[in-house]
Amino acid sequence: MPVLRPQRQLLSPLNSTSPATPRLGLATNQTGPQCLEVSVPEGLFLSLGLVSLVENVLVVAAIIKNRNLHSPMYYFICCLAVSDLLVSVSNVLETAVMLLLEAGALAPRAAVVQQLDDVIDVLICSSMVSSLCFLGAIAVDRYISIFYALRYHSLVTLARAWRAIVAIWVASSLASTLFIAYYDHTAVLLCLVGFFVAMLALMAVLYVHMLARACQHARGIARVHKRQRSTQQGFGLKGAATLTILLGTFFLCWGPFFLHLSLIVFCPQHPTCGCIFKNFNLFLTLIICNAIVDPLVYAFRSQELRKTLQEV
């Protein structure tokens, strides 16, 4: 059993270019000294995880406390916060365990460490998949609220929202278990990458369509009130900026990790791909950053939720 290093091993087999590499070992990188490797200090990683933990706990507490927030939209936001919270907790837990093992505070029993690693990997993978699913669910919910406003409450009922939430959690748990069990199969990696691309495409199409409808609505209001064209342009720029933040944050935080998975399939031994593999810890840090940004984008912009947070 290889000795653990203080290196985040989210889905530890994925930080390897060969299925034969031990699950808890370091990745084999066939790269030269010219490769750029961004080092992420353990203290910074743990600090980001704690910030994410506090933010998402506050979101969950506010939604539970305020009955005015007991609606499908806020339930999806609450579940997104829980998913992000689990991403942070599981990564911080794994890092803390590895640091304790390095310091000799824990006895490195191979069987126990292996089981703990498997459990944490499944938890991390499940929380990641569910986080992507709830981001898509929030986009669909907002799309229906805009394009089917009169039928929204009959289409998106609490019962249907709860069924969707349960289905997402069950599917995420099953998918993550299968993924960890069969991580060395190319088809499994491609399915996970395809899932990310599908979520990105879904969010892009829905939000772009919503932005186009909002701009059309703004032009109609401007014609009625005979406002200047600069007002319309200002609204369009604001909407485009919001859309850029939504999709840009999603792509920048999640994209590198799924690029890592893609390169494991297509060029596991190429030196250039090896350079990218060396920055695996940076990709995990970006996912933690996404868990910090999500409450700012989806939750804290709500005046009702901010008011409840002040009371909490």
Side-chain angles (χ1 to χ4, degrees), residues 150-162:
L150 298 179
R151 299 172 55 199
Y152 174 79
H153 292 290
S154 60
L155 293 174
V156 186
T157 62
L158 283 177
R160 289 176 178 174
W162 278 115

Side-chain angles (χ1 to χ4, degrees), residues 56-73:
N56 287 289
V57 165
L58 287 175
V59 172
V60 174
I63 293 176
I64 292 176
K65 177 180 175 60
N66 191 342
R67 290 188 174 275
N68 293 331
L69 302 178
H70 292 186
S71 64
M73 180 183 70

Side-chain angles (χ1 to χ4, degrees), residues 126-192:
S126 177
S127 57
M128 287 174 57
V129 173
S130 62
S131 180
L132 293 174
C133 288
F134 285 118
L135 285 171
I138 291 171
V140 172
D141 177 79
R142 292 183 174 182
Y143 183 86
I144 295 175
S145 69
I146 291 176
F147 288 89
Y148 302 94
L150 298 179
R151 299 172 55 199
Y152 174 79
H153 292 290
S154 60
L155 293 174
V156 186
T157 62
L158 283 177
R160 289 176 178 174
W162 278 115
R163 284 197 292 268
I165 289 170
V166 172
I168 288 174
W169 282 115
V170 172
S172 299
S173 301
L174 292 176
S176 61
T177 303
L178 292 174
F179 179 71
I180 297 301
Y182 300 100
Y183 69 90
D184 54 344
H185 289 68
T186 300
V188 174
L189 294 177
L190 291 177
C191 286
L192 191 59

